[in-house]
Amino acid sequence: MRWAAGIDIAGVPHNTNPARVINLSLGSSGACSGAFQSAINDVNAKGAMVVVATGNGGASSVNQPANCSGVIAVTAHAIDGDSADYANIGAQTLISAPGG
């Protein structure tokens, strides 16, 4: 995330085309880790937005890093507008998009 936002990483060439929006479709259960939150804070400070999938376990809780502060947490909905059976939902969810 840091490199994508244009933050220099030791031993890695400078990113000359930093992203303004970073999309993550990954995650794991549990509360937002310090490592994820630190990276998101750094990226937000550079002016980049982080958009994260809430998870695909059909749970009523949101996976990390979608449950971190400073992200846009996205879940999926079905063609009828209801939550997709597989989609995680929870209080951190900000928006829903059509799912498969």
Side-chain angles (χ1 to χ4, degrees):
M1 285 187 278
R2 288 181 176 102
W3 182 86
I7 298 169
D8 288 331
I9 306 296
V12 178
H14 177 72
N15 179 358
T16 58
N17 297 298
R20 302 285 298 172
V21 178
I22 299 169
N23 179 43
L24 303 173
S25 186
L26 54 85
S28 62
S29 61
C32 178
S33 72
F36 271 133
Q37 190 62 65
S38 177
I40 290 163
N41 292 345
D42 292 349
V43 165
N44 288 166
K46 280 293 273 189
M49 177 184 328
V50 181
V51 181
V52 189
T54 59
N56 292 329
S60 60
S61 61
V62 175
N63 285 350
Q64 63 170 318
N67 60 12
C68 296
S69 297
V71 304
I72 296 174
V74 181
T75 193
H77 62 262
I79 196 165
D80 62 5
D82 287 341
S83 295
D85 292 343
Y86 57 85
N88 289 13
I89 57 172
Q92 298 94 340
T93 304
L94 183 62
I95 193 167
S96 178

